[in-house]
């Protein structure tokens, strides 16, 4: 389904918003696709992203889902609004054992007060296989800003 942004200049607003997201930079997440209602990107997995069994930490995985679905939701609001996560559910499906995590987020329904999204986090394995490690279901509240 093709989403219609309320702001025709949403791509530059997303770029500015991403530039100011310190936690995203701290993690090392890089966006590769910015479309209305859809964001994709990746994280090169380093030791500080891992838990004790050397799998991608669940908190990092949830953060990736939140980033891509949240920015996907943000593409659909007007210049005087932002979005904040109001609900996040993550289903962890497989351990993340690769060297790169791919994250894809999209909007499934955009209302005036709530935006519903989904996300997938995929581990790119050394042999080139893509393994779905988590699926996220997220709700974002639309907030007016001054």
């Amino acid at each position: 389904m093709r989403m219609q942004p309320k702001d025709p200049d949403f791509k530059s607003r997303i770029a500015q918003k991403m530039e100011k997201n310190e936690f995203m930079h701290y993690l090392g997440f890089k966006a590769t696709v910015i479309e209305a209602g859809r964001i994709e990107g990746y994280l090169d997995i380093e030791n500080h992203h891992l838990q004790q069994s050397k799998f991608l930490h669940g908190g990092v995985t949830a953060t990736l889902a939140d980033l891509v679905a949240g920015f996907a939701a943000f593409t659909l609001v007007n210049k005087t609004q932002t979005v904040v996560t109001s609900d996040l559910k993550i289903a962890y499906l497989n351990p993340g054992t690769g060297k790169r995590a791919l994250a894809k987020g999209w909007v499934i329904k955009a209302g005036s007060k709530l935006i519903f999204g989904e996300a997938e986090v995929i581990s790119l394995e050394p042999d080139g296989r893509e393994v779905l490690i988590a699926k996220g279901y997220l709700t974002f509240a639309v907030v007016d800003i001054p």
Side-chain angles (χ1 to χ4, degrees):
M1 174 185 351
R2 183 139 172 93
M3 300 282 172
Q4 291 298 323
K6 293 180 182 176
D7 176 11
D9 195 32
F10 74 92
K11 286 187 181 183
S12 68
R13 280 196 320 125
I14 289 290
Q16 290 172 3
K17 192 92 163 163
M18 286 182 172
E19 184 64 33
K20 294 177 182 176
N21 191 310
E22 296 294 333
F23 193 57
M24 183 180 92
H25 296 298
Y26 175 77
L27 285 177
F29 177 79
K30 306 267 192 287
T32 56
V33 174
I34 300 173
E35 297 174 354
R38 182 173 194 82
I39 300 288
E40 296 182 13
Y42 69 92
L43 171 73
D44 286 326
I45 299 171
E46 299 179 27
N47 284 337
H48 64 273
H49 296 124
L50 303 176
Q51 47 88 293
Q52 66 279 1
S53 296
K54 303 297 183 193
F55 301 148
L56 183 62
H57 193 283
V60 174
T61 303
T63 298
L64 293 175
D66 189 41
L67 282 169
V68 292
F71 279 119
F74 187 73
T75 67
L76 301 179
V77 298
N78 68 44
K79 293 179 184 181
T80 62
Q81 295 174 319
T82 191
V83 298
V84 294
T85 307
S86 63
D87 186 54
L88 165 67
K89 180 191 181 313
I90 294 287
Y92 296 99
L93 306 170
N94 291 290
T97 59
K99 293 295 180 191
R100 178 172 277 189
L102 308 176
K104 302 175 183 184
W106 59 92
V107 171
I108 55 175
K109 182 177 189 254
S112 61
K113 299 291 182 195
L114 295 174
I115 298 176
F116 301 90
E118 292 182 348
E120 292 180 346
V121 181
I122 298 158
S123 178
L124 186 57
E125 299 298 310
D127 64 5
R129 287 180 307 123
E130 292 185 3
V131 175
L132 180 63
I133 60 173
K135 178 86 174 173
Y137 307 91
L138 303 97
T139 306
F140 301 93
V142 178
V143 178
D144 293 326
I145 53 175

